[in-house]
Structure formats: structure tokens, C-alpha cells
Amino acid sequence: MFDRQKMQNWIEEEFVKVRSPNDPMLQLIRADSLASSAWDVRGSGFADTVKPEAWPVFRERLHQSEAAAAKAVAQGWSNFAVVRVIDRVALGLGRHDGHGSNQRDALVCRPEQRVEGDAGARQRGGVVAAELAQRGA
């Protein structure tokens, strides 16, 4: 069986040999790995097929992934890879609004670039970004 955590540990060890351990790319790699690991634990089936003991592990890894993504963004990293991670986290935590725009925009877009889905989207986006920045700090 594939051991994602063992692979992640090896990637981090090799990464810091050639780049700084504070490089935002490392946080992004960590975020992506944690999100994938969360979904590995949960599985791809319907919610009623997920083992009860998998749910807490799934949610914890998604929260860890979210924190690592927020840290990468706080360090200046902003591209499609962050959007991909945040969309998977939002879907798993039930925060997906159909397009994932509110949370994604809060993380990766400047205020003037945010999608205006409804009157409160910009305000909620600012709150989400502040919460994520606190978690990532």
C-alpha cells in the first residue's frame, strides 16, 4: 500500500536540501499532500459508505491542509495550485458554495478581483481570509 506520509517526509527532507524550509512552495506541497491524504482516508464513495472512524481523521487532515495553504498564501504564494487545494478542502468540510469562489477568492485574489456571487461574498471572504491567516501563522 502507498504510504503518502512516508513520501511526504522524504519530499520535505529533499526539498530543504536545495531550498529554504521557509519556502512557501514547501507549505503548498504539504497542503496538497495533506488534502490527498484526507481523501485517501475517507475514500471516494458516498458518505454513508465511509467508516465512522475515518471522519475525524479526514476532517483533521483537511484542517491541517487548510492551515498549510493559508501559510503559503501568507508567504506570498498565489496560483492555481492553491485554488486546487482549497477547493478540495472546502468540498470536504462542506464549505463549497457550488463554485468554491468565496473561500478561494478570500485566499488568492485581491479584493478588486473577487467574484461577486452575492452581497455578502466580499465580507465573508475577508473573514475567511483573516481566519485562515491566523491558523497559518
Side-chain angles (χ1 to χ4, degrees):
M1 181 170 185
F2 178 70
D3 185 346
R4 192 176 299 276
Q5 186 59 50
K6 186 175 179 181
M7 175 66 98
Q8 177 62 28
N9 292 342
W10 177 82
I11 289 170
E12 288 188 25
E13 289 171 11
E14 294 300 312
F15 187 91
V16 297
K17 289 179 183 176
V18 294
R19 296 185 71 165
S20 167
N22 298 322
D23 191 311
M25 183 184 282
L26 183 58
Q27 295 301 323
L28 182 58
I29 292 169
R30 185 176 292 137
D32 186 59
S33 179
L34 284 163
S36 295
S37 176
W39 284 98
D40 288 347
V41 168
R42 183 204 179 278
S44 60
F46 290 105
D48 62 354
T49 65
V50 178
K51 295 178 182 175
E53 62 272 14
W55 286 112
V57 177
F58 173 68
R59 289 184 189 105
E60 177 60 28
R61 290 185 185 172
L62 289 177
H63 286 296
Q64 292 171 348
S65 173
E66 183 178 54
K71 193 170 186 179
V73 170
Q75 293 173 332
W77 194 270
S78 180
N79 67 16
F80 181 74
V82 175
V83 171
R84 183 175 162 268
V85 170
I86 291 303
D87 278 350
R88 289 189 299 154
V89 168
L91 180 63
L93 294 176
R95 296 188 199 147
H96 210 273
D97 66 358
H99 302 287
S101 62
N102 291 340
Q103 187 175 19
R104 176 181 355 154
D105 288 352
L107 271 178
V108 299
C109 297
R110 292 187 304 272
E112 65 273 10
Q113 295 175 314
R114 293 188 184 144
V115 175
E116 292 297 331
D118 61 80
R122 189 178 298 247
Q123 183 179 6
R124 282 194 312 279
V127 171
V128 171
E131 289 174 5
L132 290 174
Q134 286 178 338
R135 288 183 199 166

